[in-house]
Amino acid sequence: MRNTITIAGKEFKSYLASPMAYIVTGIFLIATGFFFSISPATYTETSINGFLQAGVILLLLFAPLLTMRLLAEERKLGTIELLLTAPVRDSEIILGKFLGGLGILTVMLGLTLYYPLLLIIFGDPDMGPIGAGYLGLLLLGYTALAIGIFTSSLTSNQIVAAVVAIGILLALYFVGFAASFLPEALGEVIGYFSLSNYFPDFMRGIVDTRGIIYYLSITALFLFLAIRSLENSRWS
Amino acid sequence: MIKVKNLTKYYGSRLAVDNISFNVAKGEIVGFLGPNAAGKTTTMRILTGFMMPTRGDVWVAGYDMLSHSLEARQHIGYFAEAVPLYTDMTVRSYLDFLARLRGLDKNRIKTRIGDVVGICHLEEYIDVLIGKLSKGFRQRVGVAQAIIHEPEVLILDEPTVGIDPIQVAMTRQLIKELGKEHTVLLSTHILPEVSMTCGRVIIIHEGRIAAEDSIENLASMIGGAKRIRLEVAGPSQQVAERLRQIKGVQRVSYQDSDYTVECAAGQDPRGQIMEAIVRSGWSLLSLESIEMSLEDIFLKLTTEEETNR
Ligand SMILES: Nc1ncnc2c1ncn2[C@@H]1O[C@H](COP(=O)(O)OP(=O)(O)OP(=O)(O)O)[C@@H](O)[C@H]1O
Ligand SMILES: [Mg+2]
């Protein structure tokens, strides 16, 4: 646990020291701000759905840019040798990296809180969907981080890590839309595995336990795969 | 402190370490010597827990590296060949990070950072980003992190490569001092380094141990195999031919009037050589016997391996 926090702290600091996190956050804020301000939902429903709809897609594209360096860079620079020879469990390394990324992502999403703040100042928004929407967005973001860490553990090339993660995320997201074209039973099963299946509920203010369990399971699964991939690298 | 038994490592189908066994006792400084691609780094990476062996057993500081790697790693300091450093950290935060991972508490980290920065002469650079340090100073930071937790076992993979002679001397002195309290395995292909710092040497070549002994014993194991250098005025080919006929002479090579005679183990045919040359009517201008240097031993061991195949 102590080691996990040490690694998380180090990763969080190195995000603050490198331009990538600022660039990603900046573009994310500009883009979501744009969609928030042009979305009719903002004015007719005083909801943040305009932000959320854009935020989901942007997270899928941007979270991997935050995670791509976490392990790939260590491999490239050889610093992975420091971590893997320190008296630290492979799971602590992965969890530490995950928590570091989670920290920066949470800060990034925290900065968007001024959208609901604007609504509160100038209107009377329904807080349920806002809270649930943020919960959904965080969960989805953490899932994306876990997938990004997994792909970063597979290669020493950061670009490859990011592109593969974005590929997996988009596939998991859009497979839900494809599901409606399939026979009902099959479509339902596939829909169950889709990242997009649960998000509309959160936007409507419904905190569905199945959705929470789904996001947490996918996150856990990919963190587990990342730990296995790190372990495997010792045997290659 | 270090025990290696029948260690074998394949990278895919490529054999890098081939069934080697050796021990390093507490307090020893052992040189791990071998040409490029001999398998030194591979062996060290297994000793430090970075990689798992394909076959064989490794114990470090009393722990089985396969089943208790985590405990063993607590007691190992490792200077990796690539000198891995986080270039976006300052020397202080880098040392702090690694000391924490090795379980030192806050106060001790503070004193130990002070200690190692002093030992490695990094005082002025403690708050400088590692990315801005020169190669030699990065090397020192690498040494500093290896000793910050006062490990029982130090594994140093070519710590003196690419630094200036003054620093090389300093590093060797440091290794010697560290050897008083730590067990050290030092890999290098610089031979004088071994004779300067190590009590014992393990020579590895193409993944196998070619020789293992104290430096003095190694020289005599080659059979006190002496070499004699001659200068003779006479027809080169005939002189060489005549020298080869002398009992105890193994090999003769020459260039112009300089001859190098390699003698069989335990033989000293200097008398016969002198006599033969004088009898043939040539004149002996000089004759000296040369002890084999570590370099010679190394070459002899590694090249003989090859001709045996
Ligand atoms: N990660 C790797 N993947 C595949 N082969 C490797 C890997 N690392 C080393 N090898 C191979 O294993 C053999 C031994 O390499 P190793 O790095 O252990 O040699 P070394 O004795 O440290 O050499 P040097 O003096 O050049 O550092 C070499 O043939 C090398 O090509
Ligand atoms: Mg090497």
Side-chain angles (χ1 to χ4, degrees):
Chain A
M1 194 60 206
R2 194 184 121 131
N3 293 329
T4 306
I5 290 168
T6 304
I7 293 171
K10 185 221 150 223
E11 290 307 335
F12 189 74
K13 274 185 216 143
S14 71
Y15 275 126
L16 297 184
S18 82
M20 184 53 104
Y22 295 99
I23 295 171
V24 167
T25 308
I27 297 178
F28 185 79
L29 289 179
I30 292 169
T32 53
F34 173 73
F35 285 107
F36 175 72
S37 59
I38 62 158
S39 168
T42 308
Y43 309 100
T44 55
E45 309 165 7
T46 51
S47 81
I48 56 166
N49 284 357
F51 153 63
L52 290 176
Q53 270 156 353
V56 168
I57 303 291
L58 288 167
L59 268 189
L60 300 183
L61 299 175
F62 283 6
L65 298 181
L66 292 174
T67 52
M68 65 182 187
R69 51 166 280 274
L70 286 175
L71 288 148
E73 189 184 51
E74 301 254 11
R75 241 191 232 284
K76 184 115 194 171
L77 299 178
T79 46
I80 191 85
E81 214 164 343
L82 291 167
L83 287 180
L84 292 185
T85 58
V88 178
R89 286 171 214 282
D90 294 349
S91 54
E92 292 173 323
I93 297 174
I94 297 295
L95 285 181
K97 301 257 172 196
F98 175 68
L99 287 183
L102 187 148
I104 203 76
L105 190 85
T106 308
V107 169
M108 184 171 103
L109 291 179
L111 292 173
T112 65
L113 282 174
Y114 78 88
Y115 307 141
L117 203 66
L118 286 175
L119 293 183
I120 292 169
I121 294 171
F122 295 107
D124 183 20
D126 183 355
M127 291 311 287
I130 292 179
Y134 264 98
L135 178 65
L137 205 56
L138 282 172
L139 287 169
L140 187 102
Y142 299 163
T143 308
L145 289 178
I147 291 174
I149 286 175
F150 167 65
T151 61
S152 184
S153 75
L154 297 174
T155 169
S156 59
N157 186 325
Q158 296 191 38
I159 305 295
V160 170
V163 170
V164 173
I166 292 172
I168 295 176
L169 283 164
L170 291 181
L172 275 177
Y173 190 77
F174 286 108
V175 76
F177 299 108
S180 54
F181 298 107
L182 295 169
E184 199 169 326
L186 184 64
E188 207 167 304
V189 172
I190 288 183
Y192 186 77
F193 287 103
S194 168
L195 279 175
S196 55
N197 194 30
Y198 303 93
F199 201 73
D201 273 352
F202 284 101
M203 281 206 301
R204 267 181 250 122
I206 303 164
V207 177
D208 181 357
T209 349
R210 278 188 317 163
I212 296 178
I213 291 173
Y214 167 79
Y215 286 126
L216 292 182
S217 315
I218 300 283
T219 304
L221 171 70
F222 278 95
L223 289 178
F224 172 75
L225 290 177
I227 295 169
R228 289 309 302 264
S229 132
L230 199 60
E231 277 169 9
N232 271 343
S233 74
R234 293 182 192 271
W235 293 94
S236 67
Chain B
M1 271 290 130
I2 300 174
K3 193 167 155 196
V4 173
K5 218 172 135 192
N6 302 329
L7 178 69
T8 299
K9 177 73 189 181
Y10 280 91
Y11 291 107
S13 63
R14 182 188 194 111
L15 180 60
V17 173
D18 184 5
N19 199 34
I20 66 171
S21 304
F22 64 87
N23 292 316
V24 180
K26 196 178 163 87
E28 255 190 315
I29 306 184
V30 172
F32 200 50
L33 201 63
N36 289 131
K40 303 182 295 293
T41 300
T42 303
T43 306
M44 292 186 142
R45 284 181 157 176
I46 293 169
L47 287 176
T48 52
F50 178 68
M51 286 190 315
M52 292 295 174
T54 309
R55 278 194 296 279
D57 294 297
V58 174
W59 290 266
V60 179
Y63 296 98
D64 186 337
M65 220 54 219
L66 275 153
S67 55
H68 293 80
S69 164
L70 217 54
E71 290 90 335
R73 283 186 249 156
Q74 197 89 44
H75 302 281
I76 300 172
Y78 178 35
F79 179 96
E81 187 178 26
V83 202
L85 300 164
Y86 293 110
T87 46
D88 61 347
M89 292 176 110
T90 64
V91 174
R92 190 197 300 277
S93 51
Y94 175 79
L95 293 176
D96 178 81
F97 174 62
L98 289 168
R100 268 183 215 227
L101 286 188
R102 287 154 190 170
L104 272 60
D105 65 43
K106 246 195 177 121
N107 289 329
R108 216 154 108 64
I109 291 177
K110 212 170 161 201
T111 42
R112 283 301 293 163
I113 288 181
D115 292 350
V116 297
V117 158
I119 293 171
C120 300
H121 303 287
L122 284 162
E123 293 94 341
E124 286 168 49
Y125 298 90
I126 182 150
D127 289 312
V128 174
L129 285 180
I130 292 174
K132 296 190 172 166
L133 294 180
S134 72
K135 162 101 178 143
F137 281 85
R138 290 182 190 204
Q139 208 100 347
R140 293 190 199 181
V141 178
V143 174
Q145 65 77 27
I147 60 178
I148 193 156
H149 53 306
E150 299 183 279
E152 289 173 59
V153 177
L154 269 177
I155 297 191
L156 309 173
D157 198 354
E158 304 194 23
T160 58
V161 169
I163 55 180
D164 69 46
I166 300 167
Q167 281 197 48
V168 168
M170 249 171 49
T171 310
R172 285 179 192 156
Q173 190 55 40
L174 177 62
I175 293 169
K176 265 181 152 171
E177 307 231 319
L178 290 170
K180 287 175 190 159
E181 283 161 30
H182 305 66
T183 303
V184 183
L185 186 66
L186 167 73
S187 108
T188 175
H189 26 76
I190 308 168
L191 298 159
E193 185 158 292
V194 170
S195 42
M196 267 181 252
T197 47
C198 304
R200 197 154 65 87
V201 54
I202 295 167
I203 298 179
I204 175 171
H205 179 58
E206 294 189 343
R208 264 171 287 168
I209 291 184
E212 177 188 355
D213 214 329
S214 70
I215 288 159
E216 304 87 61
N217 284 355
L218 212 54
S220 56
M221 193 183 88
I222 308 295
K226 233 182 219 148
R227 285 189 193 193
I228 297 167
R229 200 178 287 149
L230 302 170
E231 202 182 342
V232 180
S236 304
Q237 233 164 358
Q238 286 168 28
V239 173
E241 209 36 60
R242 179 70 190 89
L243 287 171
R244 284 190 188 108
Q245 288 163 10
I246 297 168
K247 192 169 164 285
V249 170
Q250 250 185 352
R251 202 176 300 160
V252 177
S253 55
Y254 61 89
Q255 191 164 31
D256 301 329
S257 59
D258 294 318
Y259 302 79
T260 306
V261 176
E262 274 181 44
C263 310
Q267 301 276 343
D268 187 2
R270 274 179 294 182
Q272 288 101 300
I273 290 174
M274 249 186 272
E275 206 182 311
I277 288 170
V278 175
R279 285 240 177 118
S280 311
W282 304 314
S283 39
L284 182 62
L285 302 177
S286 74
L287 179 150
E288 57 177 334
S289 119
I290 36 180
E291 287 296 325
M292 278 188 107
S293 69
L294 202 47
E295 223 112 349
D296 301 320
I297 297 172
F298 187 65
L299 279 175
K300 195 165 157 102
L301 284 168
T302 49
T303 47
E304 248 164 37
E305 278 265 304
E306 245 143 50
T307 48
N308 282 347
R309 234 167 261 173

